Amino acid sequence: MKRPALLVLPAALFLLAFFVIPLIDNGMRSFEDGDGGLTLSRYVQLMTDRFYLRVIGETVLLSAGVTVISALIGYPVAYFLVRKAGKWSGFVIFLLIAPLMTSIIMRTFGWQVLFARKGLVNNLLIDQLGLITRPLRVLNTPELVIAALVHVLVPFMVLSISSVLQGVDRRLEESAQMLGAGPFRTFWEVTFPLTLDGIGTGAILVFMIANGSFVTLILLGGGLQTLPLLIYQQFNTTRDFGMASAMSTILLVIAVFCLWLQLRLVRRRGA
């Protein structure tokens, strides 16, 4: 065996043992009928039952919404970080990375502390400022769940966009301005198209993480029903491991489709 292959062997064995084999086992379990045979009944149910179709749709819409909001918030931050921060860029990067060092559970509990009936926000608005007479009902709402997910995932979008934005040649923007383009047109027709790869990478990261997120939904509620929540219930409540495996496979298919879509877009742009 050649030396390059020996260098790759530990990583390949690790992926085989802790990624490929578990995925294959999970997929096979979703086809077992309990009597030693194979069945497609679980997938037929997931793809035809209105309840499961609504849950799949809600999962995709929630992930897509979080991705779009993260992009809208993250792009200005990334632009400021690369073009305007200057000597403060290190501090801005620290502010982005520092939350990632904290458990997602702690960050989610922080939203409960802020917006509980007797939390900091309601106490400030009622007792200190006297602006309202009744506590705001913010907990257990879809809006708070989306805000909490964006809070957790927007750093991935910012870092993905900023890494690509740093590679944009400023001379291209200067050339556009010399030819008569204003600042907005220069950004829209020169800078923004050159950073689409960063947006795509960030979107894939945010979408896939949001697609599999369930801790935030469990802690903050909101009435949202997604596949990760159903998988958690199947494993811990009904103990239907076969259905949980089928749902996990559906989630994997959604993630693989997103990766395939990004690859197609990148190849099309490269062509």
Side-chain angles (χ1 to χ4, degrees), residues 63-64 66-79 96 100 150 152-164 195-207 209:
S63 303
V66 171
T67 302
V68 172
I69 296 173
S70 297
L72 293 176
I73 295 175
Y75 199 101
V77 176
Y79 191 89
L96 287 171
L100 301 179
V150 170
V152 171
L153 298 177
V154 75
F156 296 99
M157 182 68 71
V158 174
L159 296 175
S160 298
I161 296 174
S162 61
S163 63
V164 175
T195 56
L196 286 178
D197 289 344
I199 297 175
T201 301
I204 291 298
L205 289 173
V206 172
F207 184 91
I209 297 175

Side-chain angles (χ1 to χ4, degrees), residues 81-102:
L81 173 63
V82 175
R83 298 294 174 83
K84 305 295 182 181
K87 64 179 182 180
W88 295 99
S89 60
F91 180 69
V92 176
I93 293 175
F94 170 77
L95 293 178
L96 287 171
I97 297 177
L100 301 179
M101 302 178 184
T102 307

Side-chain angles (χ1 to χ4, degrees), residues 48-147:
T48 57
D49 189 280
R50 290 185 178 180
F51 171 76
Y52 291 115
L53 288 176
R54 181 175 62 82
V55 170
I56 294 174
E58 195 164 311
T59 303
V60 175
L61 287 177
L62 175 64
S63 303
V66 171
T67 302
V68 172
I69 296 173
S70 297
L72 293 176
I73 295 175
Y75 199 101
V77 176
Y79 191 89
F80 172 81
L81 173 63
V82 175
R83 298 294 174 83
K84 305 295 182 181
K87 64 179 182 180
W88 295 99
S89 60
F91 180 69
V92 176
I93 293 175
F94 170 77
L95 293 178
L96 287 171
I97 297 177
L100 301 179
M101 302 178 184
T102 307
S103 169
I104 187 175
I105 297 176
M106 296 301 297
R107 281 179 282 172
T108 303
F109 272 123
W111 287 93
Q112 291 185 333
V113 172
L114 285 175
F115 293 103
R117 288 181 58 85
K118 295 184 178 180
L120 295 177
V121 173
N122 281 321
N123 285 339
L124 177 64
L125 295 177
I126 297 175
D127 299 332
Q128 304 299 326
L129 301 178
L131 297 178
I132 58 176
T133 58
R134 295 182 179 180
L136 296 175
R137 185 183 177 275
V138 180
L139 291 179
N140 300 317
T141 59
E143 292 79 11
L144 185 62
V145 172
I146 294 174

